[in-house]
Amino acid sequence: MNSNKRRNLFYAMLSGVLLALAFPPLPFPILAFIALTPLLFIYSKEPRTKSPFLYVYITFFIYHVGTNWWISSWSKETDPFLLAAGLGLDVLHPFFFFVPFWIFFIFKNKLGFDRAIVYFPFIYLAFEWLHNLGEIGYSWLSLGYTQILNTWWIQFIDITGIWGSSFLLLWANVFFVKLSLLIINSK
């Protein structure tokens, strides 16, 4: 495995761990402001990767395992059907997150990374909202929910709702990707 692939794998895993650590009941909601930055940074460097969705899957698989562990209930008395459902959720649900990134990759290929990244918060938020609707809606992992233990942020959510929270967190991640690129390119 070459150094770029190792670096990208590390960034994908780092994003997954940061997302999981930002999610309640853990007391690190501030990590959500930078959690997607390593994953997005991968795509700023790679003109076209052979398997761009591999890194998305790794990130969201780690995020799911870190936040949905309680569904599988890892104890002796665990219902085997609940365990199987939780494991299935951990393995299969990260595929849903291909949708916003697939749209982002289309924008990136047409417009370039610098312009496509500006659309990313809109694309991802639209995905979160649509993913919340219907019978298979699963809004538990919306990015905005990472802030429910953040008392000063809760005041803001009261006005904008969870979608406003997610939107600003996505913009923070875009800001940190742009800032990282600016620092790297200025050297």
Side-chain angles (χ1 to χ4, degrees):
M1 183 181 291
N2 68 29
S3 63
N4 278 345
K5 286 184 181 177
R6 268 195 304 264
R7 182 200 70 203
N8 291 346
L9 184 60
F10 171 74
Y11 285 162
M13 292 187 319
L14 179 61
S15 272
V17 168
L18 290 173
L19 282 168
L21 289 174
F23 208 80
L26 298 174
F28 308 112
I30 196 78
L31 295 177
F33 288 85
I34 60 165
L36 289 173
T37 301
L39 179 63
L40 292 170
F41 190 77
I42 292 170
Y43 302 113
S44 71
K45 293 295 183 195
E46 300 291 328
R48 282 185 187 246
T49 56
K50 290 183 180 177
S51 54
F53 293 108
L54 172 65
Y55 304 118
V56 174
Y57 184 83
I58 289 169
T59 294
F60 289 100
F61 175 76
I62 292 170
Y63 182 37
H64 275 70
V65 170
T67 56
N68 287 329
W69 58 269
W70 55 273
I71 294 174
S72 296
S73 181
W74 299 94
S75 67
K76 287 182 190 177
E77 300 83 29
T78 299
D79 177 0
F81 296 108
L82 186 60
L83 178 63
L87 293 174
L89 180 69
D90 289 341
V91 171
L92 298 174
H93 194 258
F95 287 109
F96 278 92
F97 290 87
F98 285 12
V99 173
F101 282 89
W102 175 67
I103 296 168
F104 171 67
F105 295 150
I106 291 171
F107 276 63
K108 181 182 171 245
N109 291 337
K110 299 275 186 202
L111 305 172
F113 179 81
D114 289 334
R115 289 179 52 203
I117 194 72
V118 174
Y119 293 102
F120 181 74
F122 297 99
I123 295 166
Y124 194 91
L125 186 68
F127 163 75
E128 276 194 355
W129 183 73
L130 289 170
H131 191 50
N132 182 51
L133 303 174
E135 293 298 319
I136 61 170
Y138 190 79
S139 64
W140 292 349
L141 297 184
S142 292
L143 198 56
Y145 286 125
T146 60
Q147 301 305 304
I148 64 170
L149 297 177
N150 187 344
T151 55
W152 63 270
W153 194 264
I154 288 294
Q155 305 308 313
F156 168 74
I157 293 174
D158 186 40
I159 298 167
T160 66
I162 200 66
W163 311 119
S165 177
S166 287
F167 192 62
L168 287 182
L169 289 168
L170 289 162
W171 274 112
N173 279 275
V174 167
F175 170 77
F176 286 113
V177 169
K178 293 280 229 177
L179 182 64
S180 301
L181 291 172
L182 187 65
I183 292 168
I184 289 169
N185 292 335
S186 69
K187 290 182 180 180

